Amino acid sequence: MQTVSVPPAPGDGPLGRMPIPGHIDPVPVPRSLKPRADGRIDLLGLSRADLRMALETAQLEPKQAKLRAKQLWHWIYNRGVTDFSLMTDISKAMQPWLAQRFVISRPEVVEAQVSTDGTRKWLLRSDDGQDYEMVFIPDADRGTLCVSSQVGCTLNCRFCHTGTMRLVRNLEPAEIVGQVMLARDALGEWPSQPEGRMLTNIVMMGMGEPLYNFDNVRDSLKIVMDGDGLALSKRRITLSTSGVVPMMARAGEEIGVNLAVSLHAVTKEVRDEIVPLNRKFGIEELLQACADYPGANNARRITFEYVMLKDKNDSDADARELVRLIKQYKLPAKVNLIPFNPWPGAPYECSTPERIRAFQEIVFGAGISAPARTPRGRDIDAACGQLKTAAEKKSRAELDRLAEEKQAALD
């Protein structure tokens, strides 16, 4: 029978801290392990290496730490277990030792709503009291989870309700991966399996600009794509950016998921207005970065998101210019036409169905796929561009002032 040497609990050593055993300093870890308020380390969102190092730092012998890290990875990401006492291949002596030092979290659910069309939205709260949202959109042949990467947003896209919020902070890997775990909990999809799941796709299109939280998004998606854990194929994950050009190549090389670009306009004047990031990284620079995106081909096309705004970006001339640009840069592309989803104080209206259809026909006629997205979850403010957790209403003057502050920070 194997005996397990269980190290003492925190506080047993001098001054309440345990000395580092042996004469070898711990290997530096790429991610600092920040204890929660209760002193425990959250294992959710840690890479395999960080998980092992967390155990070693807690004075588990390296060989033992390697074994336990492998077991924990399986229980956390393949089976969705959060209680150490349910991990049947970990000894009963080790289970309370783990529970004293570590926790496997889930985001706190403040509110869960279900739309008449089956769309689900969760308002989540972090340990430091910050709110963010995630949305699950079920379809006949797929189920897509829209994941947030920031609390608030760095950008100020004028048609987007989330863009009227200040950026509070980046979400940590545990908070990003936690959204996927929570959705799996709600859908009853444990243990993880590749066939027959309801949650089949992930889009990084929730609150925030993912490429302004690159490291945390990359590390989170690597966990989601790990074949021994959540096991979602990179072909089923899409990262959406408003055009953070310097980070796009890195996203292709280091993450390798599908790319979606919030284009929304084809002229400098209009895109400067509705996607102010365009003043920093212009359309030509953005489209060249798309042309250079690693892995883009006809089988893995770049998606251009194009919100339809009445009398702003929806003319026949706009459609023809969109076609010209895609062909000029030889982009393997599809265009998602998104009817504008209104919100209180929005400065735009949605294009008419007839105008959307006319725009669509021009793009289709040039041999480019251009489906018009059916708005989902509008009745619970879960549709594209509607995510916003702040309860208070802002006046138009306040929104304009916030927009100016954000743009000054970007310039």
Side-chain angles (χ1 to χ4, degrees):
M1 181 175 173
Q2 182 185 8
T3 58
V4 178
S5 174
V6 180
D12 289 354
L15 303 178
R17 289 194 179 184
M18 297 176 46
I20 300 297
H23 61 279
I24 301 173
D25 289 333
V27 178
V29 293
R31 183 173 300 285
S32 60
L33 303 178
K34 301 174 187 173
R36 296 163 18 123
D38 61 8
R40 294 185 294 173
I41 297 291
D42 192 351
L43 298 182
L44 187 65
L46 297 187
S47 69
R48 290 173 182 273
D50 285 343
L51 184 56
R52 180 177 172 182
M53 188 53 57
L55 296 172
E56 287 192 30
T57 303
Q59 290 200 335
L60 202 59
E61 186 266 333
K63 198 170 180 181
Q64 178 90 281
K66 182 179 180 180
L67 169 65
R68 296 306 179 199
K70 184 177 180 180
Q71 292 171 320
L72 286 167
W73 183 276
H74 174 80
W75 284 107
I76 294 170
Y77 295 115
N78 188 276
R79 304 189 70 86
V81 170
T82 59
D83 185 342
F84 295 107
S85 69
L86 299 178
M87 299 179 180
T88 53
D89 60 353
I90 294 178
S91 71
K92 290 193 179 296
M94 177 61 67
Q95 290 170 0
W97 182 87
L98 290 167
Q100 276 186 297
R101 292 159 178 79
F102 304 109
V103 65
I104 304 162
S105 72
R106 290 291 189 270
E108 177 191 349
V109 177
V110 178
E111 184 179 23
Q113 296 174 276
V114 181
S115 167
T116 54
D117 63 22
T119 299
R120 303 188 192 190
K121 182 174 78 168
W122 290 266
L123 173 61
L124 308 175
R125 183 162 295 157
S126 64
D127 284 345
D128 61 348
Q130 301 300 336
D131 292 352
Y132 54 104
E133 293 178 334
M134 72 180 200
V135 174
F136 178 70
I137 306 165
D139 280 305
D141 61 342
R142 67 173 60 192
T144 302
L145 185 68
C146 184
V147 174
S148 292
S149 58
Q150 296 179 312
V151 179
C153 188
T154 318
L155 306 177
N156 187 53
C157 300
R158 298 284 295 211
F159 58 86
C160 179
H161 204 192
T162 315
T164 66
M165 298 178 65
R166 295 181 187 277
L167 175 68
V168 179
R169 66 170 174 82
N170 289 331
L171 290 177
E172 296 290 332
E175 294 164 330
I176 297 172
V177 176
Q179 294 172 66
V180 185
M181 308 291 277
L182 188 63
R184 281 270 184 92
D185 292 346
L187 296 170
E189 297 203 331
W190 301 111
S192 183
Q193 54 190 25
E195 301 300 327
R197 3 169 118 142
M198 291 174 65
L199 199 173
T200 61
N201 293 66
I202 288 176
V203 291
M204 296 298 305
M205 294 183 185
M207 296 169 61
E209 164 55 64
L211 295 188
Y212 277 140
N213 187 16
F214 181 84
D215 288 354
N216 290 347
V217 167
R218 176 200 58 206
D219 295 350
S220 302
L221 291 182
K222 285 189 173 183
I223 291 172
V224 171
M225 294 185 288
D226 190 292
D228 294 328
L230 292 167
L232 265 174
S233 164
K234 66 181 180 181
R235 295 179 182 276
R236 291 190 171 272
I237 301 174
T238 300
L239 184 150
S240 177
T241 179
S242 291
V244 185
V245 169
M247 302 303 296
M248 288 170 62
R250 280 190 67 191
E253 291 160 2
E254 298 181 32
I255 307 175
V257 296
N258 301 317
L259 180 69
V261 174
S262 296
L263 189 62
H264 306 309
V266 292
T267 65
K268 174 175 168 51
E269 179 186 12
V270 175
R271 196 163 192 268
D272 278 357
E273 175 190 334
I274 65 176
V275 187
L277 186 64
N278 195 69
R279 300 173 201 170
K280 191 166 188 177
F281 308 114
I283 292 176
E284 294 80 9
E285 194 177 354
L286 172 59
L287 295 181
Q288 186 58 55
C290 291
D292 296 338
Y293 187 73
N297 54 47
N298 286 327
R300 295 186 65 200
R301 293 173 293 174
I302 291 171
T303 299
F304 289 103
E305 308 284 353
Y306 199 97
V307 67
M308 300 299 293
L309 303 174
K310 183 179 179 181
D311 300 329
K312 178 59 65 173
N313 65 353
D314 62 352
S315 69
D316 287 357
D318 289 318
R320 286 191 288 269
E321 177 63 5
L322 177 59
V323 168
R324 188 192 71 78
L325 288 169
I326 289 173
K327 290 186 178 294
Q328 177 186 337
Y329 286 88
K330 299 178 181 176
L331 296 171
K334 65 177 279 191
V335 179
N336 269 350
L337 302 179
I338 305 169
F340 172 64
N341 294 305
W343 42 271
Y348 304 110
E349 296 178 47
C350 182
S351 305
T352 65
E354 296 75 22
R355 183 89 297 274
I356 294 174
R357 202 155 38 244
F359 192 103
Q360 183 181 38
E361 286 172 0
I362 291 171
V363 180
F364 263 137
I368 300 166
S369 176
R373 186 186 293 176
T374 302
R376 301 289 300 274
R378 273 183 170 176
D379 55 320
I380 57 171
D381 288 338
C384 182
Q386 287 188 318
L387 298 190
K388 183 179 187 296
T389 60
E392 78 282 358
K393 295 180 179 178
K394 290 187 174 74
S395 68
R396 172 50 47 197
E398 288 175 306
L399 294 176
D400 287 343
R401 186 176 69 252
L402 180 58
E404 288 172 8
E405 289 175 4
K406 283 177 151 185
Q407 189 54 45
L410 286 172
D411 289 342

